[in-house]
């Protein structure tokens, strides 16, 4: 019998989340972000399920190649643009769009001789200070891009640093910086990520770029995905492979970091950090066993975790276990593990089969 660890991917839920993004966009075009293998969900099946999006966004050429090889022909933006000038020809041949965030990239485009001009998104640093040209450089760089034979059209974009916190006014500062930097420019604009789209209506502009919300996780600090209308897409599941009694005072797991406070019943689950479950998840992290809530006990090991079964009296080897998904939001597990849902979802390893349901 094959090992039970699996990630069930609910494609109808993915589509419903896209519909919610479309509804929230207020008429803006929707660029679905499917980078990092669609946040760990599988980029090709998810791209096919998200065909109603206006375009896609990935990180770089390698991710785009996977999609183009699978026959995904929708417009596609490379969020980090190109890294070396020799990427420009294959980018043009694959009809990809690029982010330009530095003067060196503008110079490389000017030196290139491409058969097909590219759609360029000029990224402006409005305060995140990660990627993007300075607002003071926008006019000069835009003039160069417009006169460049390798460039067909130019869009404008920025990225929000604190939109996940509805109480942080820094988003308004960034929005004003972007408005000042682009004043008088009649070009398509994109600002909103998932948090901007759902929490900051003034950030929607011409294009929105939903990412984490498509996969059913809240983009907000302390958010409640279900209350926000989002449906979980990944259901990480396994089974109990052993059930045993543990006397009071006895330890379980590496390092003996957890000891039974009383005589307990415990179970062993076929899931560990080799599958992508977070090793740093502490005792007390929630788990569903046979549909009932219980908790992780002891350290996560490579292939197994151990769970308390006192409140699951009918549990036995073969009983189903859900690590996150329906009934147990990935955001809640992430919070217990001191991380974010993005890390959990993208961290599921290739040895965990993705099972796609329609």
């Amino acid at each position: 019998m094959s090992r039970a660890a699996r990630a069930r991917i609910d494609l109808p839920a993915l589509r419903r989340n896209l519909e919610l993004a479309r509804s929230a966009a207020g008429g803006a075009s929707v660029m679905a972000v499917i980078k990092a293998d669609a946040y760990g969900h599988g980029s090709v099946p998810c791209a096919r399920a998200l065909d109603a999006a206006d375009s896609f966004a990935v990180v770089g050429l390698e991710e785009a190649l996977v999609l183009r090889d699978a026959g995904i022909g929708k417009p596609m933006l490379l969020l980090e643009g190109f890294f070396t000038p020799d990427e420009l020809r294959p980018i043009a041949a694959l009809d990809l769009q690029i982010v330009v965030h530095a003067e060196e990239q503008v110079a490389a485009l000017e030196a290139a001789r491409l058969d097909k001009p590219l759609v360029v998104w000029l990224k402006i640093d409005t305060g995140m200070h990660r990627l993007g040209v300075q607002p003071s450089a926008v006019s000069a760089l835009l003039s160069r891009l417009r006169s460049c034979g390798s460039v067909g059209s130019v869009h404008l974009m920025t990225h929000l640093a604190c939109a996940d916190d509805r109480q942080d006014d820094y988003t308004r500062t960034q929005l004003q910086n972007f408005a000042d930097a682009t004043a008088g420019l009649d070009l398509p604009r994109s600002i909103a990520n998932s948090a901007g789209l759902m929490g900051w209506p003034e950030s929607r502009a011409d294009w929105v770029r939903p990412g984490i919300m498509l996969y059913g996780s809240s983009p907000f600090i302390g958010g409640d995905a279900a209350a926000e209308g989002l449906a979980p897409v990944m259901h990480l599941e396994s089974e109990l492979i052993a059930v045993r009694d543990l006397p009071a005072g006895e330890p379980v797991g590496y390092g003996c970091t957890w000891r039974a406070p009383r005589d307990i019943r415990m179970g062993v689950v076929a899931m560990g950090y080799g599958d992508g479950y977070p090793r740093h998840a502490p005792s007390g992290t929630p788990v569903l066993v046979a549909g009932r809530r219980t908790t992780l006990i002891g350290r996560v090991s490579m292939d197994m975790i151990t769970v308390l079964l006192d409140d699951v009296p009918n549990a036995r080897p073969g009983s189903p276990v859900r690590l996150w998904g329906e009934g147990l939001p990935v955001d809640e597990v992430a919070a217990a593990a001191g991380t974010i849902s993005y890390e959990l979802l993208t961290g599921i390893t290739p040895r965990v089969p993705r099972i796609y349901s329609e």
Side-chain angles (χ1 to χ4, degrees):
M1 184 177 70
S2 61
R3 190 166 178 264
R6 59 193 176 271
R8 183 167 56 82
I9 310 299
D10 186 344
L11 296 178
L14 183 66
R15 294 190 189 97
R16 291 196 296 274
N17 294 335
L18 175 61
E19 291 169 4
L20 182 68
R22 175 78 72 186
S23 177
S29 298
V30 176
M31 180 185 297
V33 181
I34 54 173
K35 63 181 180 177
D37 199 30
Y39 290 54
H41 293 66
S43 62
V44 171
C46 288
R48 290 174 176 151
L50 293 170
D51 187 62
D54 298 294
S55 68
F56 293 138
V58 296
V59 164
L61 180 58
E62 292 85 357
E63 289 186 344
L65 275 168
V66 171
L67 293 162
R68 287 291 191 250
D69 286 347
I72 307 297
K74 193 173 288 291
M76 199 175 303
L77 176 64
L78 308 184
L79 291 168
E80 291 183 357
F82 61 98
F83 301 97
T84 59
D86 60 5
E87 288 185 309
L88 287 171
R89 285 194 176 278
I91 285 172
L94 292 170
D95 196 23
L96 302 172
Q97 303 175 13
I98 57 171
V99 166
V100 165
H101 56 79
E103 190 278 334
E104 294 83 358
Q105 291 175 311
V106 176
L109 283 165
E110 290 172 324
R113 298 293 180 266
L114 302 179
D115 296 331
K116 183 177 183 180
L118 300 174
V119 175
V120 166
W121 294 70
L122 182 62
K123 187 168 190 175
I124 303 168
D125 180 7
T126 57
M128 190 167 185
H129 304 316
R130 194 175 60 177
L131 293 179
V133 303
Q134 291 303 304
S136 60
V138 169
S139 179
L141 292 176
L142 183 57
S143 178
R144 289 170 64 182
L145 289 169
R146 281 172 157 167
S147 62
C148 178
S150 296
V151 176
S153 62
V154 181
H155 298 187
L156 304 169
M157 69 182 297
T158 193
H159 195 54
L160 300 174
C162 300
D164 60 341
D165 186 349
R166 291 184 173 103
Q167 309 307 314
D168 195 324
D169 279 340
Y170 196 59
T171 295
R172 291 191 176 87
T173 298
Q174 285 194 264
L175 291 171
Q176 187 59 56
N177 291 344
F178 188 73
D180 293 343
T182 62
L185 300 176
D186 186 20
L187 295 171
R189 292 163 163 77
S190 179
I191 305 170
N193 52 10
S194 291
L197 172 58
M198 297 183 71
W200 303 86
E202 60 270 43
S203 74
R204 290 167 189 166
D206 301 297
W207 283 85
V208 296
R209 309 188 306 271
I212 193 64
M213 68 176 291
L214 297 177
Y215 307 99
S217 173
S218 172
F220 300 112
I221 295 171
D224 183 335
E228 292 154 8
L230 299 170
V233 176
M234 180 188 289
H235 306 270
L236 185 64
E237 300 171 342
S238 190
E239 293 178 358
L240 292 178
I241 58 174
V243 173
R244 59 185 304 172
D245 296 318
L246 193 67
E250 288 298 303
V252 62
Y254 286 120
C256 300
T257 58
W258 187 90
R259 290 178 180 271
R262 58 188 182 279
D263 292 350
I264 66 159
R265 192 164 176 258
M266 56 163 282
V268 181
V269 182
M271 176 66 62
Y273 63 78
D275 304 295
Y277 192 82
R279 183 181 182 276
H280 52 276
S283 296
T285 299
V287 180
L288 288 180
V289 177
R292 301 189 66 168
R293 280 196 171 227
T294 184
T295 62
L296 174 75
I297 55 174
R299 280 186 186 167
V300 174
S301 54
M302 184 179 291
D303 311 304
M304 290 173 279
I305 61 171
T306 45
V307 295
L308 188 63
L309 294 179
D310 286 1
D311 294 328
V312 196
N314 295 324
R316 59 181 58 83
S319 291
V321 176
R322 179 165 292 159
L323 291 311
W324 61 70
E326 185 178 359
L328 182 57
V330 65
D331 299 305
E332 183 180 349
V333 179
T339 185
I340 56 176
S341 61
Y342 301 72
E343 183 180 24
L344 297 190
L345 295 172
T346 61
I348 298 303
T349 63
R351 84 172 182 182
V352 178
R354 274 67 166 174
I355 301 170
Y356 296 90
S357 61
E358 287 289 353

